[in-house]
Amino acid sequence: MRVTVNIISAAKVYATKNIEDLEEKRIVPNMLLRRRLTRNAKIMLYLCDKCGFSGGKVVYASAFGELQSTAAITDDILKNIPISPTLFQNSVYNSAPSYFSLLYGDKDEIITISSGNKSSSDALKIAALQALVSGERVLCVATECLDIDKIEEVNSCTKYLESGAAIVLEVTKESKGAKEIQNIKEDGILRSLHEIINVVNMSAMGDKKIFIDL
């Protein structure tokens, strides 16, 4: 089945190590909540802000999830140190969208996708299906944060240790002028982000209507 979607807004961000300014003090004025945020959460909230999205259905994708919290937990286990409850809480795949829900009081549906290199591709399909069934706008967002100790010894798939992309989409019955998702390649981007990055780049070039095969 094929649907046509309008891209309402789109954003992307990435850096070789740490993204310098995610504007978290402005976006998350509550200091206690802000201090608990993972890097994935900060990137997601930044992208949501850039897309003008503060409530509604969310589809979140990440191939590696909360790698930093997971690595910190395993380090504590190796050192026989008690595991921090905050680290444990922040180790699950839906940590980032959960903080979005807490920040905005959003009680709508959140779906988390993790399917390796296909993560953003599958997330786009789920988001389009959500928009089709609900008739609402849906946020589709993917983030990756790989900046952990000695990552350089095993990393051969990206030059950006922090990255993310997001779009807000809605289904339309008007397919005239819609395009297939183009492969607008950006060197060094993780494959788990490719599909959403491609859509963001198409949107920046003026292509706001695309086909998505469910």
Side-chain angles (χ1 to χ4, degrees), residues 36-159:
R36 298 175 73 88
L37 297 176
T38 65
R39 291 298 295 178
N40 277 313
K42 290 179 181 180
I43 293 171
M44 177 181 170
L45 293 175
Y46 174 84
L47 292 169
C48 291
D49 183 73
K50 293 303 178 185
C51 286
F53 189 88
S54 60
K57 291 178 171 55
V58 174
V59 178
Y60 172 77
S62 180
F64 295 95
E66 297 294 347
L67 186 61
Q68 293 169 327
S69 295
T70 303
I73 288 172
T74 56
D75 284 346
D76 286 349
I77 292 172
L78 288 172
K79 296 173 183 176
N80 290 317
I81 298 173
I83 297 171
S84 159
T86 300
L87 277 179
F88 185 77
Q89 172 188 311
N90 283 345
S91 67
V92 296
Y93 270 80
N94 66 342
S95 289
S98 294
Y99 281 118
F100 168 86
S101 180
L102 286 170
L103 176 64
Y104 292 111
D106 185 27
K107 297 181 180 179
D108 219 320
E109 186 172 6
I110 294 174
I111 296 176
T112 302
I113 303 292
S114 184
S115 50
N117 290 336
K118 294 176 58 185
S119 293
S120 71
S121 175
D122 289 349
L124 271 177
K125 294 177 183 179
I126 296 298
L129 182 59
Q130 283 283 79
L132 177 65
V133 171
S134 68
E136 301 171 11
R137 293 181 176 182
V138 177
L139 172 74
C140 183
V141 56
T143 68
E144 302 289 1
C145 294
L146 309 183
D147 186 20
I148 61 173
D149 188 38
K150 298 183 179 180
I151 187 63
E152 68 280 355
E153 296 181 10
V154 294
N155 175 34
S156 61
C157 56
T158 182
K159 64 180 181 182

Side-chain angles (χ1 to χ4, degrees), residues 194-205:
H194 274 189
E195 204 80 352
I196 298 179
I197 288 283
N198 285 337
V199 175
V200 172
N201 288 341
M202 289 179 68
S203 177
M205 293 165 53

Side-chain angles (χ1 to χ4, degrees), residues 2 5 7 12 120-121 124 167 177-186 189 191 193-213:
R2 167 170 282 197
V5 301
I7 306 304
K12 63 181 179 179
S120 71
S121 175
L124 271 177
I167 60 171
K179 294 186 177 182
E180 305 283 349
I181 297 177
Q182 306 296 308
N183 183 18
I184 306 174
K185 185 178 180 181
E186 290 194 54
I189 293 290
R191 288 180 61 190
L193 293 173
H194 274 189
E195 204 80 352
I196 298 179
I197 288 283
N198 285 337
V199 175
V200 172
N201 288 341
M202 289 179 68
S203 177
M205 293 165 53
D207 296 321
K208 303 290 187 178
K209 190 180 294 185
I210 61 171
F211 293 118
I212 296 180
D213 293 314

